[in-house]
Amino acid sequence: MNFVALATVIAFTLACAAGAFVLRNLIRSVLLLVGAWTGIALYFLAAGAEFAAFAQFLIYVGAVSMVALFAVLLTRGGRPGGDAPSVAPSRSGRLWAVLAGAAVFGVLAATILRTPLGTSGSPPAPLPVREFGRELMGAQAPALLEAGVLLTAALIGAVVLAAPDKPKP
Amino acid sequence: MTNLLIIVVLVGFFAGLFAVMTWAERKLLGRVQNRPGPNRTGPFGLLQPVADGIKMLTKEDIVPQDCDRVLHFLAPVVMVAFSILTFAVIPYGRHWVPVDLDCGVLYFFAVGAGTELAVFMAGWASHNKYAVLAAMRALAQLISYELPLLLSWTPVVMVSGTLSAQGIVLAQAGWRLGFIPRWNVLTPWGAVGFLLFLVAAVAECNRSPFDLPEAESELIAGHLTEYSGFKYALFFMAEYFGMSALSAMAVTLFLGGWGAPLPGLAFVPTPLWFLGKLFVLLFGFIWLRATWPRLRLDQLTRLGWTGLLPLCLINLIAAAVWWAGRDWSGPGQIARWLVTGACIGVPLAALLRRNAARHPRRTYAYAAA
């Protein structure tokens, strides 16, 4: 991907993310968030990480967005043409919001600055999916298993919670 | 230039197939319901799709005053665009793969997920109660069936060792006992996976008996209520594109793709085998629509979460056992079939028994009388 295309993708992603924050209509915000997630997937694609790009699109656009939209539809903000309920934040609320945002930004910035990033001239060759799978099943297997067990437990828990109660004798 | 030609041929073929399918579906539904179906335009009503096309193109495009105009316009465009993108990675023949991606199967389902969003966009943007209800139904349905759909083909990837669609077809090449194809559907885990995939695919396409978002008798036309003319036709087209793409992927994953069913028939050009299998599955979609009543929303979600999902997880374990026994020989192979079959059969029987106890067979007053 050339520089212009990459810059367009980045601009699109940032614009969508900013729009998601600014808009008062929750549905439009979530749809813009979907645009931002799509932009991130395109960025992965540009970096040669096909698997991560498609997985990002499948999970975030295909699943997470659905859950977010479903949750929003159950609120007042989900009404067609309706905006989110307008509640003026208090002075202390604003202060806490700024502090929390600054803390998150600080942690992220510190992590990025401390991480040694390879800056060799030639871009790395794309990793074949088979190799990617071997890596996940080899060195990264414990982390993958932990995440898998956690998600499966959450899934079973959700099904059990949603299942109807047994009739009392 | 070659890529452009491939795109034109693919889109042209599936657009033609869409036209033929609309005619075939109406004819078949007519046959099932003991009526002639379309029979006025051309011989056997064959020109009906042309008449429908002209009607759709010339109809007024009505946009509700209070709707979200941008999303109302974007929804059909997004739906058709993503539907067409799914055709890119299907292996239509031995050397007929438009784009042989290393993770083609993942691409297919990732892109397909975009169409679900379009249904929601259409429903919400229409500013209509029926359409919003349809959007909510569509989301509930998609949340319930996306996971079983993904888990139903995971064993195929696990056993084949590749995410490439062409690689999966090649992994099913060869014969057992000299004449039985090594298609995934002809294994214990593959047969169950195939059925699970088909059920989840019908739900993902919003086709009957899972057509709750459209539900003419309850929601007028659901998310399509406020659409007319060409935009309506685009939704219609996307539905058939989605059905064709998922059927094509089912052929690729479970039915050996473009492979011949018998060793002596390998001389037939491979795309013909692919098309033959595709048409059989498309016929199944129409047959289902003709014979199955629509589910209620609670039945639909219950089937997804307490039926399909546990079965998918069990099938995954069975496929793991099958894969573990890949090097067994002689009596080991018989043991492999038996153990894999038991891995699925025993929990399946327990699940069916439990469901039968919970939901006794209904008796209707008119039937008992």
Side-chain angles (χ1 to χ4, degrees):
Chain A
M1 197 182 276
N2 59 31
F3 177 75
V4 177
L6 193 63
T8 311
V9 166
I10 291 170
F12 170 76
T13 310
L14 291 177
C16 285
F21 272 107
V22 172
L23 286 185
R24 292 205 63 78
N25 186 302
L26 290 177
I27 297 286
R28 285 184 192 154
S29 289
V30 176
L31 289 174
L32 279 172
L33 208 54
V34 170
W37 289 331
T38 308
I40 293 170
L42 288 173
Y43 183 76
F44 284 151
L45 212 54
E50 272 183 13
F51 184 87
F54 298 143
Q56 157 87 13
F57 196 83
L58 180 68
I59 293 165
Y60 281 90
V61 178
V64 176
S65 68
M66 300 290 165
V67 178
L69 286 168
F70 197 67
V72 171
L73 270 183
L74 296 175
T75 67
R76 282 171 60 197
R79 286 181 189 169
D83 287 346
S86 171
V87 180
S90 63
R91 189 182 291 266
S92 62
R94 282 174 197 267
L95 185 68
W96 278 113
V98 169
L99 282 177
V104 172
F105 182 79
V107 169
L108 283 175
T111 310
I112 291 168
L113 289 174
R114 280 185 181 185
T115 307
L117 299 171
T119 51
S120 63
S122 57
L127 191 66
V129 176
R130 189 180 289 274
E131 295 304 315
F132 188 71
R134 286 210 176 107
E135 182 71 19
L136 280 180
M137 286 295 143
Q140 311 295 331
L144 190 72
L145 277 174
E146 276 173 30
V149 168
L150 193 70
L151 289 173
T152 311
L155 176 72
I156 293 169
V159 173
V160 170
L161 279 176
D165 294 335
K166 283 183 184 172
K168 290 175 183 171
Chain B
M1 191 65 194
T2 316
N3 290 341
L4 193 66
L5 192 69
I6 291 171
I7 292 169
V8 170
V9 169
L10 260 187
V11 174
F13 172 76
F14 279 101
L17 184 67
F18 159 61
V20 174
M21 281 288 294
T22 55
W23 172 83
E25 176 152 25
R26 292 172 68 179
K27 271 288 182 195
L28 275 168
L29 290 179
R31 180 75 188 85
V32 172
Q33 294 158 5
N34 205 15
R35 58 184 175 80
N39 62 351
R40 298 300 171 100
T41 41
F44 307 107
L46 271 169
L47 294 179
Q48 190 63 46
V50 180
D52 286 343
I54 294 169
K55 184 187 80 174
M56 290 294 184
L57 279 171
T58 52
K59 268 180 106 171
E60 184 187 355
D61 176 28
I62 299 168
V63 181
Q65 197 173 8
D66 292 335
C67 77
D68 189 318
R69 285 175 177 272
V70 178
L71 291 183
H72 189 267
F73 170 78
L74 274 181
V77 178
V78 168
M79 193 140 178
V80 171
F82 279 120
S83 303
I84 291 175
L85 283 174
T86 53
F87 293 130
V89 290
I90 307 278
Y92 301 95
R94 193 183 301 276
H95 304 294
W96 290 40
V97 197
V99 187
D100 189 12
L101 284 178
D102 205 16
C103 42
V105 179
L106 191 65
Y107 162 88
F108 178 90
F109 288 99
V111 169
T115 59
E116 330 298 4
L117 203 63
V119 175
F120 169 80
M121 281 162 68
W124 187 80
S126 293
H127 200 267
N128 175 304
K129 281 179 184 164
Y130 293 115
V132 173
L133 278 173
M136 287 195 76
R137 281 185 176 194
L139 284 181
Q141 186 165 324
L142 296 168
I143 290 168
S144 304
Y145 283 82
E146 188 76 17
L147 207 51
L149 183 75
L150 299 182
L151 284 174
S152 65
W153 58 260
T154 308
V156 177
V157 174
M158 208 164 79
V159 172
S160 307
T162 176
L163 269 167
S164 152
Q166 183 74 320
I168 287 171
V169 175
L170 292 174
Q172 297 174 75
W175 314 94
R176 284 195 184 91
L177 306 174
F179 68 101
I180 302 171
R182 302 179 76 90
W183 298 352
N184 288 330
V185 73
L186 298 176
T187 59
W189 61 268
V192 175
F194 179 60
L195 289 176
L196 291 170
F197 183 88
L198 283 188
V199 175
V202 175
E204 289 285 309
C205 291
N206 295 328
R207 292 272 306 181
S208 183
F210 301 105
D211 57 341
L212 275 89
E214 204 174 319
E216 298 94 336
S217 54
E218 302 158 33
L219 299 178
I220 307 178
H223 59 289
L224 307 175
T225 305
E226 298 291 0
Y227 281 93
S228 62
F230 194 60
K231 285 182 190 162
Y232 180 87
L234 284 180
F235 277 110
F236 208 50
M237 190 189 273
E239 181 187 322
Y240 280 84
F241 279 176
M243 194 167 75
S244 305
L246 279 167
S247 299
M249 190 42 84
V251 169
T252 303
L253 293 173
F254 296 100
L255 300 178
W258 39 260
L262 286 169
L265 296 172
F267 66 91
V268 178
T270 50
L272 292 183
W273 285 122
F274 180 86
L275 281 181
K277 295 171 191 176
L278 178 68
F279 288 145
V280 169
L281 288 188
L282 289 175
F283 173 75
F285 268 88
I286 298 172
W287 195 2
L288 265 181
R289 183 180 170 188
T291 48
W292 280 68
R294 186 181 303 128
L295 294 181
R296 286 198 320 260
L297 193 60
D298 63 311
Q299 292 171 330
L300 177 124
T301 44
R302 194 172 62 221
L303 177 69
W305 289 107
T306 64
L308 296 189
L309 190 61
L311 277 178
C312 283
L313 293 173
I314 291 164
N315 202 34
L316 208 57
I317 295 167
V321 171
W322 179 266
W323 187 78
R326 65 192 181 285
D327 295 329
W328 298 351
S329 58
Q333 276 297 318
I334 299 170
R336 185 191 186 198
W337 279 81
L338 289 176
V339 172
T340 311
C343 276
I344 303 166
V346 174
L348 180 64
L351 200 70
L352 289 175
R353 203 171 160 185
R354 196 197 65 171
N355 275 352
R358 278 189 182 179
H359 309 289
R361 200 176 183 81
R362 287 183 182 178
T363 50
Y364 297 94
Y366 62 84

